[in-house]
Amino acid sequence: MPANFKWQTDEEDDWVEEMEAGGATAVSLTRRVWFRPVLIASLVLILTGSVLFWQLTRRVEETTNGIEADIMASYELLAAAADQKDVELFRSLHAHTGRQTSWGYSLDKLMTNDSQLWNGRRPGITPLTDSPQVAEIILAPDLDRAELITEQSYVVQTAADVTQTLTLNWTHNYELQTDGRWLMTAPDDEFWGEWQTYESQRLRFSYPARDETVALEFAAALDEELEQLCRWSADLSTLPPCPDDWQYQVRWDQEPGSLADFGQSRDEMFYDDFDNGKFIIAMPAPTLVGTPATEAGEQILLDLYVRHTLAEIVRYGFQNAMSTNWYRFSGYNQASLHRLLTVMGVTVWPPPVIPRSDPGPPPIPWPEQAVALTCLDESGQNAALFHVQPESGRQSTVFAETGVVDVQLLSEGRLLAQVWTGTEASWQLIKPDGTAVSLPATEEPVERMYGDGRYFVAPIPASEKYAPSSGYYALDWKQCLQTDCQWRQLPGRPIWSPDGTQLVLQAWPEGDWISQVWYGKSFYGPFELVAEGDSPVWLDEATFSYRSATFSDESDAELVAVPMDGEPETIVTLAGLEAVLPAKEDDESSWFYLADAHSDLFLMTVVRFQSTPASSSRPRQKNYLLLFDGRSQETTVVAEGETVRGNFAGDGRSLILREYNYDSGIWSLSRYDIAQKQTEPLIQYNATAAAALPINLSRGSMLDWSADGQWLLIFRDGVLILLAPDYNYKHVIVPDTPGCFNAAWIAP
């Protein structure tokens, strides 16, 4: 047999295979014994780790949620304190020591002056919600600092008369204090970055680095507008020229108080610390106004900034060009400015948020009267008188002449026209046929004149600035149609009786602030001193009233009625009116005046004035309207508010109340039913958004009743509103141009 042959039997072969199989089984069992505890231990470790991780995550989440809830609660309480103007609570919820001192003071000042600005209201745009909503809270890794992001959406009317939606958000910084409270704090220096400066021929512009992207776009756009403005100034006498070395200076501020300068009609925007004789326009940085959520929103905000800044530059230049005549011809100048800004595309006409006419025909006949409307003519350089038909709104020219800056409607279709030559003013009586009669010059030059029925009245300039007029000139215009056209000097401001024959005067003896009341049986006198007092008002043909009080003490003030055929009689006292009002604070003083009267009903206004600087939740001034019934001696509180005013309706059965809320920008008109003692709203709209500019283009609210006492004419923001209060029906007439500044019913 071969040497390498290995003998095996079948049995042996099977046995080896069985042995090999058995050996493998032994090895496998050994490995299983070793792997099982490792697997179990690993599973236990994984499970334990998962539980620990879940518990840790849950604890971190609970901690985070707790911190966010604390921050949210602090913010909501701060917002509520701002709404209620609770200065002490508001101040306790933000930091105000160390590096926070200036920032905290600025925040307090903003909240005190206008809490709605702090809480999301922005001039020229209409919010879609009452207040900003919290969008996100971002905690720092060490959980001792946080950023709270709020947002709010607005409706914006652009210069192109297109309505768009804008969403803004704000970043509020919070820090954990040593006492465990979360307080709002000022951003650190890194938040704003370094100050940057942009300079060109027409513009010097300072801004924080955080807003650099929008700042550079703003500077380029404003530069282009300034070049256009300088081209305009070459063609318009109402704007100053643009010398080559003239620079407009703009600064974007970081302090929250600067929000009060954005879109406000007040000269504080122009700082007194002039730089090389140039004024500075200070505005809040866009980060304070709000960061847009979209690129489209960035363009909207940029447009708002350019329009606001350009409008302020134009206003400053316009007022500077008119110098002292800005206030002398205030109606004409405001209308000219409004028209100029509209032509330049800075604002739109008509205003975007004015009330709309109610549908359908009126519930009562239209009055048989037209409306006299004073506006600029087509050239935009002269004042003209127009007639407007109530039903159709058709506007027709009645009088327009070169150089006229004011036209006032007199009785019997006559007009008083004021002409300005550029150096001096003169006045003319315009007859219904359009012919003019020049009025003689007064002994002393006068700055203003007004028509009062059949008389022209002009205050004699005071000898000292801010002092009252020492007397008045008056002229009977009917005499000017004959031969005796002469001015007479009256001892005070005349108030004519309803039939125009008698007059009572309020006079201030020269150099004396104590007011006196005088009476005259006719325009030609004689005049007799009645008493020390002020605010004379005719109650009927035979009785007038005045307020009796000394200049230094209002506590003994009385409303006194003076009948022509009897002795003076006290109607009501300030003490009696105060008895139905809340108790005065220690730092409050008060005074009152007669707002209106009808038969035996007297509408009184009591003004509470805070004598110390505003440092609490109360407004600095508050008006109370009270209705005093002379027969029953009952006094009813009708309304209260910082600016609320009131007058009797044409029929005397109700009161028309009007108020402008500085916080919200809302102008409202309401009707108070005297018999029911109930108030119902008539008109309400956002007057701030109506202007959409940092300029007050309205001269307030002009109200005039139709002869039948059924229709109230309201002139505000350049538009006419015909209101039938008993039916809550309104008809809105938009004049052809934005340059209107006076309106009244024409006597039938």
Side-chain angles (χ1 to χ4, degrees):
M1 293 188 302
N4 58 353
F5 178 80
K6 185 178 179 180
W7 178 264
Q8 284 183 328
T9 65
D10 293 339
E11 291 80 1
E12 290 175 336
D13 186 60
D14 293 337
W15 180 80
V16 172
E17 289 178 358
E18 290 176 1
M19 288 295 293
E20 290 176 354
T25 301
V27 172
S28 176
L29 289 173
T30 303
R31 289 175 179 173
R32 288 176 185 173
V33 171
W34 171 83
F35 182 71
R36 184 173 298 167
V38 173
L39 179 60
I40 293 174
S42 299
L43 290 175
V44 170
L45 288 174
I46 292 174
L47 183 60
T48 302
S50 299
V51 171
L52 292 175
F53 179 78
W54 175 77
Q55 291 178 337
L56 180 61
T57 302
R58 183 178 179 183
R59 183 168 299 179
V60 170
E61 185 177 346
E62 290 176 350
T63 302
T64 301
N65 290 340
I67 292 175
E68 291 180 351
D70 290 343
I71 296 172
M72 178 75 78
S74 179
Y75 171 78
E76 290 177 347
L77 189 58
L78 186 76
D83 286 339
Q84 300 169 14
K85 289 193 173 182
D86 189 331
V87 177
E88 295 181 2
L89 177 59
F90 186 85
R91 182 175 172 81
S92 70
L93 294 167
H94 70 77
H96 49 267
T97 59
R99 70 178 181 87
Q100 316 281 354
T101 302
S102 175
W103 173 86
Y105 173 78
S106 180
L107 193 66
D108 289 340
K109 184 178 179 181
L110 175 67
M111 189 280 295
T112 302
N113 292 338
D114 197 336
S115 61
Q116 295 298 316
L117 276 175
W118 179 87
N119 208 16
R121 184 175 65 83
R122 298 293 179 263
I125 56 180
T126 305
L128 295 178
T129 56
D130 293 336
S131 60
Q133 305 299 311
V134 175
E136 185 181 9
I137 297 177
I138 304 174
L139 294 174
D142 51 8
L143 301 182
D144 63 349
R145 290 171 293 112
E147 290 183 348
L148 183 142
I149 313 297
T150 60
E151 67 178 18
Q152 187 164 9
S153 296
Y154 303 83
V155 173
V156 182
Q157 194 83 10
T158 68
D161 198 17
V162 176
T163 300
Q164 295 178 295
T165 300
L166 169 66
T167 299
L168 300 177
N169 58 61
W170 298 268
T171 299
H172 304 284
N173 295 273
Y174 274 82
E175 289 185 8
L176 181 63
Q177 308 300 303
T178 55
D179 60 1
R181 295 187 305 148
W182 284 90
L183 298 184
M184 185 179 288
T185 61
D188 55 29
D189 294 337
E190 295 180 358
F191 180 87
W192 288 108
E194 299 293 331
W195 279 99
Q196 308 296 316
T197 301
Y198 171 95
E199 191 163 4
S200 66
Q201 180 183 358
R202 300 292 180 198
L203 178 64
R204 180 179 175 84
F205 172 39
S206 301
Y207 58 91
R210 182 179 181 87
D211 292 300
E212 184 166 30
T213 300
V214 66
L216 294 178
E217 295 178 0
F218 164 82
L222 184 59
D223 247 338
E224 184 177 342
E225 294 290 349
L226 291 177
E227 289 298 330
Q228 173 67 26
L229 180 62
C230 288
R231 289 192 291 270
W232 274 81
S233 69
D235 301 326
L236 295 176
S237 60
T238 51
L239 286 175
C242 289
D244 292 339
D245 62 345
W246 181 267
Q247 272 189 328
Y248 295 97
Q249 302 198 36
V250 180
R251 183 175 69 239
W252 284 357
D253 282 343
Q254 303 172 356
E255 297 292 352
S258 63
L259 281 169
D261 295 332
F262 188 52
Q264 300 302 301
S265 176
R266 50 192 179 207
D267 292 334
E268 282 84 346
M269 180 172 282
F270 304 109
Y271 280 66
D272 293 332
D273 54 339
F274 281 67
D275 183 4
N276 298 323
K278 309 295 194 304
F279 73 97
I280 302 173
I281 297 179
M283 304 178 75
T287 295
L288 292 175
V289 174
T291 303
T294 63
E295 291 184 5
E298 293 176 357
Q299 186 59 45
I300 294 174
L301 186 64
L302 176 64
D303 178 64
L304 283 174
Y305 261 87
V306 173
R307 290 167 58 199
H308 280 255
T309 308
L310 187 61
E312 279 299 339
I313 289 173
V314 172
R315 179 171 79 101
Y316 174 82
F318 197 93
Q319 290 186 247
N320 186 61
M322 297 303 295
S323 185
T324 57
N325 294 318
W326 171 257
Y327 297 102
R328 187 176 180 181
F329 310 134
S330 60
Y332 171 84
N333 290 330
Q334 289 280 22
S336 298
L337 178 58
H338 194 179
R339 181 186 177 98
L340 174 63
L341 293 172
T342 303
V343 172
M344 294 176 64
V346 177
T347 187
V348 298
W349 182 258
V353 295
I354 59 173
R356 305 303 176 190
S357 296
D358 291 327
I364 55 177
W366 294 106
E368 296 181 358
Q369 296 173 259
V371 175
L373 184 65
T374 307
C375 308
L376 300 179
D377 62 10
E378 293 183 359
S379 70
Q381 302 293 314
N382 310 300
L385 184 74
F386 299 87
H387 283 182
V388 180
Q389 300 303 318
E391 181 175 3
S392 64
R394 185 172 59 86
Q395 183 175 321
S396 57
T397 304
V398 177
F399 174 80
E401 294 290 341
T402 302
V404 175
V405 294
D406 193 13
V407 182
Q408 298 180 35
L409 183 68
L410 306 175
S411 60
E412 301 182 22
R414 267 69 176 179
L415 308 174
L416 172 63
Q418 185 176 12
V419 181
W420 174 249
T421 64
T423 57
E424 61 181 15
S426 61
W427 284 266
Q428 296 177 351
L429 172 65
I430 310 300
K431 301 178 183 179
D433 60 6
T435 58
V437 176
S438 295
L439 303 183
T442 54
E443 183 178 344
E444 296 182 49
V446 296
E447 294 185 351
R448 56 191 177 91
M449 184 187 303
Y450 59 91
D452 190 357
R454 58 176 285 184
Y455 301 97
F456 297 143
V457 180
I460 300 174
S463 57
E464 298 181 5
K465 191 176 183 180
Y466 304 121
S469 298
S470 58
Y472 282 72
Y473 292 118
L475 182 149
D476 184 344
W477 62 258
K478 285 193 174 183
Q479 298 297 323
C480 293
L481 299 178
Q482 302 171 8
T483 56
D484 187 24
C485 190
Q486 297 181 5
W487 291 99
R488 293 185 59 83
Q489 186 168 342
L490 304 177
R493 178 175 61 87
I495 296 93
W496 309 97
S497 60
D499 61 3
T501 59
Q502 307 172 84
L503 65 161
V504 61
L505 307 100
Q506 180 172 347
W508 296 267
E510 190 169 358
D512 194 342
W513 277 95
I514 297 178
S515 176
Q516 297 178 346
V517 177
W518 292 64
Y519 166 74
K521 291 184 178 180
S522 75
F523 172 66
Y524 299 97
F527 302 104
E528 60 184 68
L529 176 65
V530 177
E532 289 186 352
D534 55 31
S535 308
V537 176
W538 284 93
L539 303 180
D540 53 42
E541 299 285 358
T543 308
F544 69 85
S545 69
Y546 69 92
R547 191 181 68 112
S548 173
T550 62
F551 181 75
S552 59
D553 185 13
E554 291 280 347
S555 60
D556 61 349
E558 300 177 337
L559 181 66
V560 179
V562 182
M564 298 298 96
D565 57 354
E567 295 296 320
E569 178 184 355
T570 299
I571 299 175
V572 68
T573 66
L574 175 59
L577 297 175
E578 292 273 20
V580 301
L581 298 179
K584 288 194 298 186
E585 300 289 341
D586 293 338
D587 61 346
E588 277 189 328
S589 57
S590 60
W591 59 285
F592 84 100
Y593 63 91
L594 175 64
D596 202 359
H598 187 276
S599 186
D600 292 315
L601 296 176
F602 301 88
L603 181 62
M604 312 299 300
T605 300
V606 175
V607 181
R608 290 272 182 88
F609 189 82
Q610 188 179 349
S611 57
T612 57
S615 58
S616 69
S617 60
R618 292 179 289 112
R620 187 169 177 80
Q621 176 177 313
K622 191 171 188 178
N623 294 349
Y624 293 90
L625 289 187
L626 299 97
L627 189 63
F628 176 74
D629 190 324
R631 291 184 178 180
S632 66
Q633 299 293 298
E634 179 186 2
T635 303
T636 303
V637 179
V638 173
E640 59 182 74
E642 290 185 64
T643 63
V644 64
R645 301 287 188 273
N647 293 93
F648 281 94
D651 56 10
R653 294 185 294 107
S654 60
L655 300 172
I656 300 299
L657 312 179
R658 60 190 185 277
E659 182 176 14
Y660 177 74
N661 188 304
Y662 286 102
D663 279 349
S664 64
I666 299 296
W667 182 84
S668 59
L669 196 78
S670 57
R671 175 179 178 270
Y672 176 84
D673 188 298
I674 296 175
Q676 300 296 325
K677 296 184 178 181
Q678 293 181 347
T679 302
E680 62 172 337
L682 297 174
I683 298 175
Q684 186 178 85
Y685 74 102
N686 192 318
T688 301
L693 286 172
I695 298 172
N696 179 14
L697 298 174
S698 172
R699 297 182 63 196
S701 307
M702 298 181 184
L703 307 181
D704 191 26
W705 286 96
S706 60
D708 61 9
Q710 297 294 311
W711 289 92
L712 177 62
L713 169 64
I714 306 165
F715 179 69
R716 185 180 174 89
D717 295 312
V719 300
L720 301 169
I721 304 174
L722 307 184
L723 179 69
D726 288 344
Y727 304 90
N728 202 358
Y729 177 89
K730 59 182 176 294
H731 178 64
V732 180
I733 300 175
V734 179
D736 297 338
T737 67
C740 297
F741 51 96
N742 268 321
W745 288 108
I746 301 174

